Every structure is written in structure tokens, then in C-alpha cells.
Amino acid sequence: MYSMISYWLKYYRHECGLTQQQVADRLKIERSTYTYYETGKTKPDINTLIKIAKVYNINYTQLLQGVEEELEEAVAEIHSGPADEDSLKYRTHATTKYEVELLFVVRNLSPKQRKEVMNLAKKFITEAEENK
């Protein structure tokens, strides 16, 4: 999933006139790993973001511009889902930091992977209810 971090990574790479391979070489990572960061397939951890910012000669916070808005949209989406009986069964009114982090992880999965995660989660719930 394309994100603000992905956008800024590509933007600053172009501003510096670098290729993905050149950035990857400076970071000592595979080009495909860096490509995944730019396409949003994966997200770099904070240490990698700091290293990337040094390559681009910027403050790492510049790579995080707009991320807060994405987080707010994600939380709003959680709370504005359909009000059918099944969705209300699992809905809560408070969203923890852990739940938001989980949402971002799930959003970076393919549709098939999301379905598998959902099936696994429902299986855990069913098993927990059966073991009560």
C-alpha cells in the first residue's frame, strides 16, 4: 500500500538525483528492499529512516510528513465501518496503539494475505470461546 513515507522516499530520491540502486548501496541493503519501501510493500524501521534521511541530507522527520493524517484516517475508518451484526460483534469504541499498529501491518498485506489473517483471527476467537 502506498503511503506518505513511500511518497517522501521517492520524492527525496528524485530530488537528490539518485537511483534506487544507489540509495540501496549506500544503505547496504538490497535494491528490492528499498523498492519495497518506495512502493509501500514494507515500511522501513526508524533506524533505517534515519539512515535514509542522512543519504538525502534531510532530517528524518521530513520523511514522516503526513503520517499522522494517515493514522487519523485509519482510526476513523475503524470506527466508521458498516453497522451490521457481525461487525458490531468485534467493534470497540476505543482503539489502542497496538490496534492501530496492527491495522497498518494488515493494510500492507495483499488482499489474499488479509483474508488469511482475518480467518486466523476468527479461528482464535472461536477457539477461545469454545475453551471457556
Side-chain angles (χ1 to χ4, degrees), residues 5-13 34 37-38 52 56:
I5 292 174
S6 302
Y7 170 83
W8 291 119
L9 291 176
K10 189 172 184 177
Y11 172 84
Y12 285 112
R13 180 175 59 78
Y34 185 79
Y37 296 156
E38 278 196 12
I52 294 169
Y56 297 151

Side-chain angles (χ1 to χ4, degrees), residues 19-104:
T19 65
Q20 289 180 342
Q21 186 64 59
Q22 290 170 321
V23 175
D25 289 346
R26 291 180 186 183
L27 297 172
K28 296 179 175 60
I29 62 174
E30 295 292 323
R31 184 201 54 79
S32 61
T33 300
Y34 185 79
T35 299
Y36 284 175
Y37 296 156
E38 278 196 12
T39 59
K41 278 191 170 184
T42 60
K43 290 197 176 25
D45 62 26
I46 190 66
N47 292 325
T48 304
L49 277 176
I50 291 169
K51 290 176 186 176
I52 294 169
K54 287 179 182 179
V55 169
Y56 297 151
N57 197 29
I58 60 172
N59 187 301
Y60 77 94
T61 58
Q62 291 176 260
L63 297 172
L64 300 174
Q65 295 176 75
V67 172
E68 187 173 336
E69 289 81 10
E70 283 184 338
L71 181 61
E72 289 172 1
E73 289 173 16
V75 171
E77 187 175 309
I78 290 171
H79 293 293
S80 67
D84 61 20
E85 185 178 318
D86 197 40
S87 68
L88 291 175
K89 179 178 177 182
Y90 301 107
R91 188 172 177 157
T92 63
H93 294 286
T95 305
T96 66
K97 183 178 177 181
Y98 173 78
E99 290 168 326
V100 172
E101 183 179 351
L102 183 61
L103 175 65
F104 276 102

Side-chain angles (χ1 to χ4, degrees), residues 117-128:
V117 168
M118 183 60 75
N119 288 337
L120 183 60
K122 287 179 179 180
K123 179 181 174 188
F124 286 147
I125 292 169
T126 302
E127 288 174 1

